[in-house]
Amino acid sequence: MYLDKTSQIADITGFVRALTYRRIKNYISLRLHHRFRSTAGFARSGPASLSVETASFCNLKCPECPTGTKSIQQKKFFPNTEACQKLIGELHPTLLSLLFFFQGEPLLNEETEEMIKEAHKKNIYTVLSTNAQNISHERARKIVQSGLSKLIISIDGTTQETYEKYRIGGHLNKVLEAVEHLNYWKHNLKSNSPVITGQFIVFRHNEHQLKDLKTFLKKSGFNKMEIKSAQLNNYQEKSALLPVNKKYSRYRYNSRTMEVTLKKQTRNTCFKMWHSAVVNAEGDILPCCFDKDSQYKMGNTNDQSFISLWNASRYNAFRKKVHHKRSDIEMCCNCGQ
């Protein structure tokens, strides 16, 4: 939900700017290949969307995040701006959007804004997701000047007490100061972007704040509000985290059997395998952002070109498996899409 008309126009304009004949044609081609469960002729295509992990570690300890709980302990940065520039150079003809986040906190990498600049030069719609704990006045200037289209800031509580129940180690006042810094530079640099988006993950402990969330975010200088359901690890054991309002949960709780299950049954289809991918901080290509432990590596961009791996028999075999026995793929069993 947009909180002001100017930001809505800026966001739409940013996305329209990314639309080219070739990108549109490629997206339609990917849709058709997915619809007919085909990889024949797929080699002529490329991804429409890509996520790049600029840092694999984080400064917070969110309990449902494998990075925050340290089950993923690799402390790595994406190689460098040049490596990202090479990747963008290869993929920009088909790439509509480039997302700068995966498991870690992207702004722990001092080169992230330079990577965003490279994508902006190619008219790619760019998104950055952050906990905003280290956005200083100067860092805010760099973010605005990078040409970033959309900035997602995690804000899972409108008070420090509620916020820190999930964002362990985080400070709500730092988030609000970051938004002030960003708006200062947007005004002084006469920029309508990035669209500052407050993302609220709904748990039982914070759902009571939803009724005042829109007012709080607008007053704090956010341009957009996004409400997201929580993905829980070992969800069968965590019914206490589920919101009472079932609208905001991707799980179903049976009070009689005390069993927690996904609302949506896993189906043998997933367009993500056809139109998007993730490149983690080590350069590994992953088929989906749900592959949090990098179990399904399709190759490494430091060794081969992205397109050669995107169209390799290994990747295509994985896509076919999604269409035939998706329930056998571990990361798909907590997806609900």
Side-chain angles (χ1 to χ4, degrees), residues 202 207 210 227-229 243-251 263:
V202 185
E207 66 178 314
L210 282 168
I227 296 172
K228 187 178 178 183
S229 61
V244 175
N245 190 332
K246 296 175 183 178
K247 174 184 175 182
Y248 300 111
S249 176
R250 67 178 69 190
Y251 306 99
K263 277 184 181 177

Side-chain angles (χ1 to χ4, degrees), residues 135-196:
I135 299 181
S136 63
H137 192 65
E138 179 60 21
R139 196 79 193 265
R141 179 185 65 80
K142 291 180 180 179
I143 291 170
V144 175
Q145 287 183 325
S146 71
L148 179 68
S149 308
K150 178 180 177 181
L151 179 64
I152 300 172
I153 297 179
S154 303
I155 182 163
D156 309 319
T158 59
T159 62
Q160 176 61 23
E161 181 184 9
T162 305
Y163 172 81
E164 67 183 355
K165 282 186 178 179
Y166 187 70
R167 300 289 163 183
I168 296 174
H171 300 279
L172 182 59
N173 66 306
K174 287 187 176 181
V175 173
L176 302 181
E177 286 173 4
V179 175
E180 284 184 21
H181 296 323
L182 289 160
N183 280 319
Y184 172 88
W185 285 113
K186 284 174 67 174
H187 174 75
N188 278 271
L189 296 171
K190 296 180 173 55
S191 174
N192 289 325
S193 62
V195 173
I196 306 170

Side-chain angles (χ1 to χ4, degrees), residues 47-55 78 87 91 95 97-104 272-273 275-294 296-301 306 309-310 315 319 331:
S49 180
L50 184 71
S51 293
V52 171
E53 181 180 48
T54 62
F78 192 77
L87 190 62
L91 300 181
L95 210 57
S97 61
L98 186 53
L99 319 178
F100 288 90
F101 57 91
F102 178 43
Q103 288 302 298
K272 278 191 173 184
M273 301 302 118
H275 92 284
S276 64
V278 175
V279 179
N280 69 15
E282 296 195 59
D284 297 317
I285 297 179
L286 311 175
C288 179
C289 60
F290 274 61
D291 188 9
K292 299 181 186 300
D293 297 310
S294 300
Y296 302 95
K297 298 175 184 177
M298 296 296 156
N300 191 285
T301 55
F306 184 99
L309 295 168
W310 169 259
Y315 213 146
R319 292 184 180 102
M331 71 174 180

Side-chain angles (χ1 to χ4, degrees), residues 59-243:
N59 46 358
L60 299 187
K61 297 179 180 179
C62 304
E64 290 302 310
C65 173
T67 304
T69 56
K70 306 305 178 188
S71 61
I72 299 175
Q73 297 183 2
Q74 301 162 321
K75 196 170 183 179
K76 293 183 178 293
F77 293 116
F78 192 77
N80 50 43
T81 302
E82 287 71 29
C84 188
Q85 186 177 18
K86 180 182 176 184
L87 190 62
I88 292 168
E90 181 184 4
L91 300 181
H92 78 86
T94 67
L95 210 57
L96 278 166
S97 61
L98 186 53
L99 319 178
F100 288 90
F101 57 91
F102 178 43
Q103 288 302 298
E105 166 51 49
L107 291 180
L108 292 177
N109 188 330
E110 295 293 334
E111 293 190 55
T112 295
E113 291 91 337
E114 290 302 315
M115 297 182 197
I116 294 168
K117 276 185 182 179
E118 293 301 324
H120 181 68
K121 288 176 185 176
K122 299 294 184 181
N123 292 333
I124 298 169
Y125 182 85
T126 51
V127 184
L128 175 71
S129 182
T130 176
N131 57 40
Q133 293 299 295
N134 62 336
I135 299 181
S136 63
H137 192 65
E138 179 60 21
R139 196 79 193 265
R141 179 185 65 80
K142 291 180 180 179
I143 291 170
V144 175
Q145 287 183 325
S146 71
L148 179 68
S149 308
K150 178 180 177 181
L151 179 64
I152 300 172
I153 297 179
S154 303
I155 182 163
D156 309 319
T158 59
T159 62
Q160 176 61 23
E161 181 184 9
T162 305
Y163 172 81
E164 67 183 355
K165 282 186 178 179
Y166 187 70
R167 300 289 163 183
I168 296 174
H171 300 279
L172 182 59
N173 66 306
K174 287 187 176 181
V175 173
L176 302 181
E177 286 173 4
V179 175
E180 284 184 21
H181 296 323
L182 289 160
N183 280 319
Y184 172 88
W185 285 113
K186 284 174 67 174
H187 174 75
N188 278 271
L189 296 171
K190 296 180 173 55
S191 174
N192 289 325
S193 62
V195 173
I196 306 170
T197 304
Q199 180 179 269
F200 191 94
I201 302 177
V202 185
F203 297 95
R204 187 170 300 183
H205 67 260
N206 66 6
E207 66 178 314
H208 66 284
Q209 295 183 335
L210 282 168
K211 62 181 185 298
D212 300 318
L213 182 62
K214 180 180 176 181
T215 302
F216 175 82
L217 292 178
K218 192 169 184 177
K219 184 179 178 181
S220 301
F222 286 86
N223 309 129
K224 190 178 181 183
M225 174 178 76
E226 290 183 355
I227 296 172
K228 187 178 178 183
S229 61
Q231 183 194 17
L232 305 177
N233 302 309
N234 301 317
Y235 57 84
Q236 296 88 348
E237 305 167 10
K238 297 180 179 176
S239 59
L241 292 174
L242 301 179

